[in-house]
C-alpha cells in the first residue's frame, strides 16, 4: 500500500514537472516571435478574438499569438497583478474607465512612433476617434470599437400607454416632462412595478458627464481638475429628486436590487421601464432579449450649450513591458484595419474606428446590429472631446454613487450630499 | 420496521423540511439548466416550459477546440496533486505540533496560525513576483508545490486537534515497544487520525475544485484551464452572458464533488473501529 | 530519556516541509506587504516610503468605520449561529436512522457551491423582491420587502447565506463525534444517564477540541469574509456600504483604486485584530477544552 502511494505520487510529480517545463521569453531559435494578447469577454466573444488571432497567424507565420482572457472583473484583477509583477501581455484591451489609471502610471506605450512609421494606420479614423485614444496628448490607445451612449426607448410600451415616444431633439426639461407624462399614463393604465425611466442619478459616467457637457461644463479639465461645481451636482440631483417624487423612477431599494445584474436580468429587459440609458452598441443585445418589443435608441437630451456626446469605446494598447512592440503594433493594425478581422469582429465592441471598415461591415450586419451602428454613426457627428480623468477616477465614481444613494434612500438632503461629495472629490483630485 | 414510532416520523419530517430548504437553490439551478436561455429570467416558473439539452451541448463544446472534458481532466489532475500534497505535508507538521516536543514549538504554532490571518489580496502581488522569478507562471506549479510545503495551516491545525485526542497511553505503549517517531507517525498516528485525513481530502477536493482566483492568475493557456475557470467564461458583465450553459456546466461540475462526498463520508463517519489500527 | 538535540532533530524533520514553505512562499509575501503598508504604493510604480501615513489616514476614513461595523456584525452573528446549527445537525445526523447518508449529503450540498457565481443568483432567487421568501410570506398575507437591497436588512441575508453554507464545520463535527469512544456512552447508559445528560456530560466535553478548532477557524474566516459580499453586490459593498465587508473594502482600495499601500495597512490591522481575538479564545481554552493527555 505504502509503496503504491509513493509510486503513484512520483509518477504524477514527474508528469507535472514535464508538463510545465520551458519558460518562454517571447522568441525562440527559429526566429519565431511570440506575442501575448488579452481581452475581456464571454465565450461568444472569445471565439471571435481567437479566430482573428488565427487569421493573423496565418498571414504572419513568424509570429505566434498567445491568448489570455477573462470576464470583466477577472480581466482587470489579473491585468493589475500581471502589470505589478512586470509580466503584462504585449497587447491589452483597454477601457476608458481604466485607461487613465494605467496610462498615467506609465504602463502603456506611446504609439506615436508606430503611427508615424505607418505600422498602425489611422488615416481612415475620424479625428475625434483618434483623439479619444489620447491621454495628455499621447497616443496610448487605438479604438477597436467606438460607441456613444443614449436612451433606449421601449416603443411598444409607449404605444400601449398612448404616449408619443421622444425623438432625438430634446432638452433636459423635456426629458423630465416626458418622464412624468409617461408615469401618469402608466398609472392610468394600472401597470404595477413599471416606471418611466431608470434612476440615472448614480451614473457619474456617462450620463452625468453628458449633462455637464450639454451645460457647457466638463467632468474634468485638461489639467486633471474637476470641471464642475457644487451647483451643477445639486442641479443634477434635484432633477432626479423631482422624478423620484413623481414616482417616475424606481425607489432606491429596487434600483439597488437591479444595480449589479446582467443585461438579461435588468428591469428594462423585463419590460418594466420605458426608457433606459445604454451604450449604443448594446442595443441589439437588448433587442435579442426582448423579441416582442420594438426598441429604438434616441440621443441623450441636449442642453443650453448644445450636445453632450463624446466618444467612448474599447481600445487596444501596447504595454511598456512588451519585448516585441513592433509585432504587437502589427497585430493591432491587423485588428482594426483588415477586412479579415472585421469580418469576424464586426461591431462587437461598437462601430469600427475606421470609416472604411464601417462601410465594409455595415452590409454584413443583422437588423438589430444595423440599428446599433446607425445610432452610433449618427451621434458620432455630435461628439466632442472629453478630457481623460486623473488618477482616482474610480474612487470618485464610488463617492458619486454613494451620494446618489444616500439621497435616494432619504439619508441625506441633496444639498448635504452634494457638499459632502464635492469635499471628498476635491481632496481626491488634489491628492494625486 | 417493527412498530410505528411517531417521534421517529416527526424527526424525519423535520430533517426533510430543512433539507428541502438546503436543496431548493440546487434544484432551481438544475431546472434552469434545462430551460431555453431566454426563459431563465423572463419567467418565474420552477419547471421548464420545455426540456432542452441545448445548454449542455453548447456549454460542453467550450471554445477553441477544448471541450469541458479537458477542463474536467485538468481539474482532476490539479485536485489529485493538491490532495497528496496536503495530506503529506500537513500531517507531518501536525504530528510534530501535536506529539513531539522541540525548541520554539509554540512560537512556530503561533506563526502557523498567523499566516492564516492576513487577507490574501495584499500578498497576491509579491507572491506573483516570487513565482515569476521561479519561472512558474502559466504552469500548475504555483498551485501545487506550496501544498507540498504545508501552506494550508487550516489542515495542520485540524489534524493537530484530532491527533491531540489520541490517548497518550497508546503512543507511550508503542514507544516502550521500541517504536521510533517515524514508525509511530506512519503506523499509529496516521491510521488513528483517519477521520481528519479524510476530512482534509474532501475539503481539499472541494476547495481546489472551486477556487478560481489563484487559478485565474497563474493559468493563462486555455488548454490548462480548469473547471472553475471554464465556468467563468460564460459570464461577462459588459455584454451578454450564457446563463443556460453556465447552469448546465455548473450542474455537471457539482457531480464529482457530490460523488466524492457520498463515497468518502462512509470512511469519515461509519466506524473506524479499533481493529483497523493494525495495518 | 532522549537528548534535547535528538528531540529537536526529530521535530524539525517533521516540520521541515512546512518550514520551507513558510520561508519560501509565505514569509516573503507577508513581509513585503508589511513593508508596503508603510509606503504609498500604486502597484505599477515603485513604492515610496510614507512612514505611518497610511495607518493615520485609516483612522480618519469614514468608510473604514462602516466596514468595521459590517464585519463586526457579521462575525458576532454568523460565527455562533453557524457553529450551533452545524453542531445540532451533526448530532442529529450522527444516529442510526434510515437514509441518514442521503440526509448528510443533502445538507452538505450548499457548501459544494463555494463562492461560485451561481450562489449569487440563487441568493437572489430567495431574497429578492419576487423571491422565494416573499412568496412564502405572501401565503401568510405578509407583504414582501427588498431584503437584499434595503441597507438595514442586506447584511442579514448574507449572514443567512453563511449559515446555509454550514457544511464544513458540520463535517468536522461529524468526524469528531466518531472519535469519541463508544464505551463511554455504554458506561453512562449503565449509570442510567438519559440522552440529554449523555450529550452534556460526554459528547460536549469530548468534542471540545473540535469545537475549539471550528471556533478559531470560523472566527478567522468570518473576519476575512470576502466572497459572499463580492459576488452578491458585484464588488461594490452596496447599498450604502451596508455589505462593505472589511476585506471587500481592502480589495477595492488595492485592486480598483490602486492604493495597495493603504490596502496593506488595512490588512495588517486586520491581522492584529484577528490575532488578539483568537489569542483571547486560546487563553480561555485552558478553561473549557479537554484533551486526553
Amino acid at each position: 500500500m505504502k509503496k503504491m502511494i509513493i509510486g503513484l505520487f512520483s509518477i504524477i510529480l514527474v508528469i507535472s514537472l514535464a508538463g510545465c517545463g520551458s519558460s518562454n521569453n517571447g522568441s525562440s531559435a527559429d526566429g519565431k516571435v511570440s506575442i501575448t494578447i488579452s481581452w475581456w469577454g464571454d465565450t461568444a466573444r472569445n471565439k471571435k478574438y481567437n479566430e482573428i488571432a488565427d487569421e493573423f497567424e496565418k498571414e504572419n507565420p513568424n509570429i505566434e499569438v498567445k491568448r489570455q482572457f477573462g470576464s470583466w472583473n477577472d480581466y482587470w484583477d489579473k491585468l493589475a497583478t500581471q502589470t505589478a509583477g512586470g509580466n503584462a501581455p504585449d497587447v491589452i484591451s483597454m477601457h476608458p474607465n481604466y485607461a487613465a489609471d494605467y496610462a498615467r502610471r506609465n504602463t502603456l506605450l506611446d504609439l506615436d512612433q508606430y503611427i508615424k512609421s505607418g505600422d498602425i494606420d489611422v488615416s481612415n479614423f475620424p479625428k475625434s476617434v483618434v483623439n479619444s485614444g489620447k491621454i495628455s496628448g499621447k497616443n496610448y490607445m487605438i479604438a477597436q470599437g467606438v460607441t456613444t451612449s443614449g436612451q433606449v426607448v421601449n416603443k411598444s410600451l409607449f404605444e400601449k400607454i398612448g404616449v408619443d415616444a421622444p425623438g432625438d431633439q430634446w432638452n433636459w426639461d423635456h426629458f423630465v416632462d416626458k418622464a412624468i407624462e409617461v408615469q401618469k399614463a402608466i398609472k392610468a393604465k394600472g401597470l404595477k412595478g413599471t416606471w418611466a425611466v431608470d434612476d440615472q442619478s448614480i451614473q457619474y459616467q456617462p450620463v452625468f458627464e453628458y449633462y455637464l457637457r450639454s451645460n457647457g461644463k466638463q467632468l474634468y479639465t485638461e489639467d486633471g481638475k474637476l470641471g464642475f461645481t457644487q451647483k451643477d451636482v445639486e442641479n443634477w440631483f434635484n432633477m432626479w429628486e423631482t422624478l423620484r417624487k413623481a414616482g417616475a423612477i424606481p425607489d432606491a431599494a429596487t434600483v439597488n436590487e437591479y444595480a449589479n445584474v446582467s443585461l438579461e436580468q435588468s428591469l428594462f429587459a423585463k419590460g418594466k421601464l420605458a426608457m433606459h440609458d445604454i451604450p449604443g452598441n448594446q442595443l441589439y443585445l437588448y433587442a435579442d432579449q426582448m423579441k416582442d418589443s420594438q426598441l429604438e435608441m434616441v440621443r441623450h437630451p441636449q442642453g443650453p450649450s448644445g450636445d453632450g456626446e463624446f466618444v467612448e469605446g474599447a481600445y487596444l494598447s501596447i504595454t511598456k513591458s512588451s519585448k516585441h512592440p513592433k509585432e504587437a503594433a502589427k497585430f493591432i493594425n491587423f485588428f482594426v484595419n483588415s477586412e479579415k478581422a472585421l469580418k469576424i469582429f464586426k461591431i462587437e465592441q461598437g462601430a469600427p474606428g475606421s470609416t472604411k471598415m464601417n462601410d465594409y461591415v455595415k452590409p454584413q450586419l443583422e437588423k438589430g446590429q444595423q440599428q446599433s451602428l446607425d445610432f452610433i454613426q449618427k451621434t458620432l457627428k455630435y461628439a466632442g472631446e472629453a478630457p481623460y480623468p486623473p488618477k482616482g477616477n474610480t474612487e470618485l465614481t464610488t463617492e458619486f454613487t454613494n451620494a446618489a444613494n444616500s439621497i435616494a434612500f432619504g439619508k441625506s438632503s441633496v444639498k448635504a450630499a452634494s457638499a459632502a461629495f464635492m469635499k471628498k472629490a476635491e481632496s481626491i483630485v488634489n491628492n494625486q | 420496521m417493527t412498530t410505528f414510532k411517531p417521534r421517529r416520523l416527526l424527526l424525519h419530517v423535520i430533517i426533510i423540511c430543512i433539507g428541502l430548504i438546503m436543496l431548493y437553490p440546487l434544484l432551481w439551478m438544475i431546472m434552469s439548466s434545462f430551460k431555453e436561455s431566454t426563459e431563465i429570467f423572463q419567467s418565474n416558473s420552477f419547471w421548464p416550459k420545455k426540456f432542452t439539452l441545448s445548454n449542455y451541448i453548447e456549454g460542453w463544446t467550450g471554445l477553441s477546440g477544448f471541450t469541458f472534458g479537458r477542463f474536467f481532466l485538468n481539474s482532476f489532475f490539479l485536485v489529485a496533486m493538491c490532495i497528496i500534497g496536503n495530506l503529506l505535508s500537513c500531517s507531518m507538521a501536525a504530528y510534530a505540533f501535536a506529539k513531539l516536543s522541540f525548541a520554539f514549538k509554540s512560537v512556530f504554532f503561533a506563526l502557523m496560525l498567523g499566516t492564516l490571518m492576513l487577507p490574501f489580496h495584499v500578498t497576491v502581488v509579491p507572491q506573483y513576483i516570487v513565482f515569476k522569478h521561479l519561472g512558474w507562471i502559466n504552469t500548475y506549479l504555483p498551485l501545487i508545490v506550496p501544498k507540498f510545503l504545508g501552506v494550508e495551516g487550516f489542515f495542520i491545525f485540524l489534524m493537530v486537534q484530532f491527533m491531540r485526542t489520541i490517548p497518550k497511553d497508546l503512543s507511550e505503549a508503542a514507544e516502550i515497544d521500541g517504536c521510533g517517531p517515524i514508525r509511530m507517525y506512519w503506523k499509529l498516528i496516521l491510521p488513528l487520525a483517519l477521520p481528519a485525513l479524510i476530512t482534509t481530502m474532501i475539503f481539499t477536493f472541494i476547495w481546489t475544485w472551486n477556487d478560481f482566483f489563484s487559478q485565474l492568475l497563474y493559468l493563462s493557456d486555455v488548454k490548462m484551464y480548469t473547471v472553475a475557470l471554464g465556468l467563468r467564461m460564460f459570464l461577462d458583465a459588459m455584454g451578454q452572458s450564457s446563463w443556460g450553459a453556465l447552469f448546465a456546466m455548473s450542474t455537471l461540475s457539482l457531480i464529482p464533488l457530490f460523488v466524492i462526498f457520498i463515497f468518502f463520508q462512509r470512511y469519515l463517519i461509519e466506524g473506524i473501529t479499533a481493529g483497523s489500527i493494525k495495518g | 530519556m532522549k537528548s534535547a538535540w535528538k528531540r529537536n532533530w526529530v521535530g524539525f524533520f517533521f516540520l521541515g516541509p512546512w518550514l520551507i514553505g513558510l520561508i519560501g512562499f509565505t514569509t516573503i509575501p507577508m513581509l513585503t506587504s508589511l513593508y508596503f503598508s508603510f509606503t504609498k504604493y500604486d502597484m505599477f510604480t515603485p513604492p515610496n516610503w510614507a512612514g505611518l501615513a497610511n495607518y493615520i489616514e485609516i483612522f480618519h476614513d469614514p468608510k473604514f468605520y462602516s466596514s468595521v461595523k459590517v464585519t463586526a456584525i457579521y462575525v458576532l452573528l454568523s460565527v455562533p449561529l453557524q457553529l450551533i446549527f452545524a453542531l445540532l445537525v451533526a448530532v442529529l445526523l450522527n444516529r442510526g436512522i434510515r437514509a441518514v447518508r442521503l440526509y448528510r449529503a443533502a445538507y452538505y450540498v450548499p457548501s459544494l457551491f463555494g463562492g461560485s457565481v451561481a450562489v449569487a443568483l440563487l441568493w437572489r432567487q430567495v431574497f429578492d423582491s419576487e423571491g422565494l421568501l416573499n412568496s412564502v410570506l405572501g401565503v401568510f398575507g405578509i407583504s414582501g420587502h427588498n431584503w437584499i437591497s434595503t441597507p438595514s436588512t442586506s447584511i442579514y441575508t448574507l449572514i443567512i447565506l453563511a449559515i446555509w453554507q454550514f457544511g464544513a464545520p458540520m463535517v468536522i463535527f461529524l468526524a469528531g463525534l466518531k472519535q469519541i469512544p463508544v464505551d463511554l456512552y455504554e458506561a453512562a447508559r449503565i449509570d442510567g444517564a438519559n440522552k440529554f445528560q449523555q450529550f452534556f456530560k460526554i459528547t460536549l466535553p469530548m468534542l471540545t477540541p473540535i469545537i475549539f478548532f471550528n471556533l478559531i477557524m470560523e472566527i478567522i474566516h468570518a473576519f476575512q469574509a470576502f466572497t459572499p459580499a463580492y459576488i452578491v453586490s458585484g464588488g461594490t459593498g452596496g447599498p450604502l456600504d451596508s455589505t462593505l465587508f472589511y476585506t471587500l473594502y481592502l480589495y477595492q482600495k488595492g485592486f480598483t483604486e490602486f492604493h495597495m499601500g493603504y490596502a496593506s495597512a488595512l490588512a495588517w490591522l486586520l491581522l492584529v485584530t484577528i490575532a488578539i481575538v483568537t489569542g483571547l479564545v486560546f487563553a480561555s481554552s485552558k478553561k473549557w477544552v479537554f484533551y486526553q493527555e
Side-chain angles (χ1 to χ4, degrees), chain A residues 77 105 253 257 260 394-395, chain C residues 42 124 146 149 233 251 257:
Chain A
D77 284 351
R105 290 191 174 96
E257 184 172 326
N260 302 299
T394 35
E395 256 173 294
Chain C
D42 67 9
R124 291 182 66 87
N146 278 307
S149 57
S233 75
Y251 162 83
E257 294 174 9

Side-chain angles (χ1 to χ4, degrees), chain A residues 94 109 217 298:
Chain A
M94 236 324 129
L109 197 67
K217 299 288 181 71
V298 301

Side-chain angles (χ1 to χ4, degrees), chain C residues 39-60:
Chain C
T39 65
K40 293 280 171 206
Y41 175 48
D42 67 9
M43 288 180 87
F44 301 158
T45 51
N48 289 318
W49 184 258
L52 286 172
N54 289 326
Y55 290 93
I56 295 166
E57 204 184 324
I58 286 173
F59 289 101
H60 294 98

Side-chain angles (χ1 to χ4, degrees), chain B residues 174-230:
Chain B
E175 214 164 334
I176 290 164
D177 287 352
C179 187
I182 294 177
R183 262 174 66 87
M184 175 122 72
Y185 160 74
W186 193 257
K187 289 276 178 188
L188 183 78
I189 302 294
L190 279 193
L192 280 174
L194 197 63
L197 298 182
I198 300 277
T199 311
T200 300
M201 212 198 93
I202 294 177
F203 286 177
T204 306
F205 195 110
I206 294 167
W207 292 346
T208 310
W209 191 267
N210 284 333
D211 165 48
F212 82 92
F213 195 74
S214 48
Q215 298 174 11
L216 170 79
L217 287 183
Y218 295 115
L219 306 178
S220 294
D221 228 333
V222 199
K223 73 167 190 276
M224 302 178 76
Y225 262 35
T226 56
V227 171
L229 291 179

Side-chain angles (χ1 to χ4, degrees), chain A residues 4 19 22 40 100 215 229-230 244 261 303:
Chain A
M4 222 178 78
S22 66
W40 66 82
N215 282 296
T229 63
Q230 186 175 327
R244 188 172 296 114
V261 300

Side-chain angles (χ1 to χ4, degrees), chain A residues 63-346:
Chain A
I63 304 175
E64 182 198 6
V65 183
K66 297 191 165 177
R67 305 108 198 244
Q68 299 181 2
F69 53 84
S71 59
W72 178 255
N73 284 332
D74 295 351
Y75 173 79
W76 294 106
D77 284 351
K78 183 168 179 169
L79 184 61
T81 310
Q82 289 175 320
T83 310
N87 200 28
D90 300 276
V91 179
I92 57 175
S93 302
M94 236 324 129
H95 189 273
N97 285 3
Y98 286 88
D101 277 317
Y102 277 82
R104 294 193 202 280
R105 290 191 174 96
N106 217 11
T107 63
L108 304 180
L109 197 67
D110 185 356
L111 302 177
D112 218 34
Q113 50 170 318
Y114 298 105
I115 292 173
K116 285 211 180 91
S117 71
D119 285 306
I120 300 176
D121 176 17
V122 293
S123 55
N124 290 316
F125 282 50
K127 197 163 176 282
S128 63
V129 172
V130 174
N131 285 345
S132 75
K134 282 187 181 170
I135 296 169
S136 306
K138 287 187 177 163
N139 262 309
Y140 287 117
M141 315 190 288
I142 302 294
Q144 51 176 175
V146 291
T147 186
T148 47
S149 142
Q151 303 280 343
V152 60
V153 171
N154 186 340
K155 274 195 124 172
S156 312
L157 183 59
F158 271 90
E159 263 166 43
K160 192 170 165 190
I161 57 173
V163 176
D164 288 338
D168 278 331
Q169 308 304 320
W170 57 336
N171 64 29
W172 292 98
D173 292 333
H174 298 146
F175 170 72
V176 172
D177 293 343
K178 180 60 83 182
I180 292 172
E181 184 193 350
V182 167
Q183 197 62 39
K184 277 186 185 143
I186 287 173
K187 210 177 160 195
K189 271 274 171 195
L191 297 177
K192 285 247 163 63
T194 308
W195 295 273
V197 61
D198 61 328
D199 184 357
Q200 299 169 10
S201 68
I202 55 173
Q203 299 278 7
Y204 183 62
Q205 282 167 313
V207 193
F208 179 57
E209 191 166 4
Y210 270 81
Y211 176 81
L212 287 176
R213 292 168 61 88
S214 65
N215 282 296
K217 299 288 181 71
Q218 287 279 15
L219 208 47
Y220 301 105
T221 61
E222 275 301 338
D223 54 353
K225 300 289 175 213
L226 297 179
F228 55 90
T229 63
Q230 186 175 327
K231 192 82 201 123
D232 299 315
V233 182
E234 284 177 18
N235 288 344
W236 168 257
F237 285 138
N238 273 324
M239 179 174 88
W240 291 99
E241 196 59 7
T242 313
L243 292 176
R244 188 172 296 114
K245 290 214 174 92
I249 57 174
D251 57 287
T254 306
V255 170
N256 273 281
E257 184 172 326
Y258 288 93
N260 302 299
V261 300
S262 65
L263 190 149
E264 298 84 354
Q265 298 163 277
S266 65
L267 274 175
F268 189 81
K270 289 186 173 178
K272 308 250 180 202
L273 287 173
M275 298 181 283
H276 178 44
D277 76 290
I278 61 167
N281 59 315
Q282 287 189 358
L283 174 62
Y284 76 95
L285 299 179
Y286 281 94
D288 275 355
Q289 288 297 317
M290 307 167 69
K291 298 228 159 70
D292 307 332
S293 307
Q294 201 199 342
L295 305 184
E296 194 183 61
M297 265 316 264
V298 301
R299 292 177 59 198
H300 278 306
Q302 295 94 50
S305 304
D307 311 316
E309 271 84 359
F310 58 97
V311 181
E312 301 166 74
Y315 299 81
L316 292 173
S317 294
I318 301 179
T319 51
K320 261 234 163 98
S321 58
S322 169
K323 292 197 186 78
H324 304 286
K326 200 163 165 73
E327 284 76 10
K330 207 169 181 179
F331 178 81
I332 291 181
N333 192 52
F334 179 82
F335 203 111
V336 299
N337 280 322
S338 82
E339 294 187 352
K340 277 180 190 158
L342 267 304
K343 194 177 167 187
I344 298 162
F345 204 64
K346 298 201 177 86

Side-chain angles (χ1 to χ4, degrees), chain B residues 101-168:
Chain B
S101 56
F102 50 89
F104 304 116
K105 182 165 134 176
S106 48
V107 176
F108 282 128
F109 192 74
L111 263 180
M112 192 262 301
L113 281 182
T115 59
L116 300 175
M117 297 174 189
L118 196 68
F120 69 93
H121 299 108
V122 295
T123 54
V124 161
V125 172
Q127 216 154 36
Y128 188 88
I129 295 171
V130 168
F131 289 128
K132 192 189 125 194
H133 281 298
L134 292 170
W136 288 1
I137 304 296
N138 205 15
T139 72
Y140 290 114
L141 293 178
L143 307 173
I144 293 172
V145 175
K147 310 278 171 176
F148 280 89
L149 299 173
V151 294
E152 297 260 16
F154 176 90
F155 295 119
I156 299 180
F157 188 24
L158 175 78
M159 292 185 198
V160 166
Q161 289 308 94
F162 273 86
M163 288 179 187
R164 287 184 74 171
T165 61
I166 296 170
K168 225 179 185 165

Side-chain angles (χ1 to χ4, degrees), chain C residues 2 14 17 71 74 101 120 200 233 237-238 241-242 260 275 288:
Chain C
K2 276 182 281 181
F14 278 98
T71 310
Y74 184 78
R101 269 196 223 162
F200 285 106
S233 75
D241 295 344
S242 61
M260 200 39 109
W288 60 273

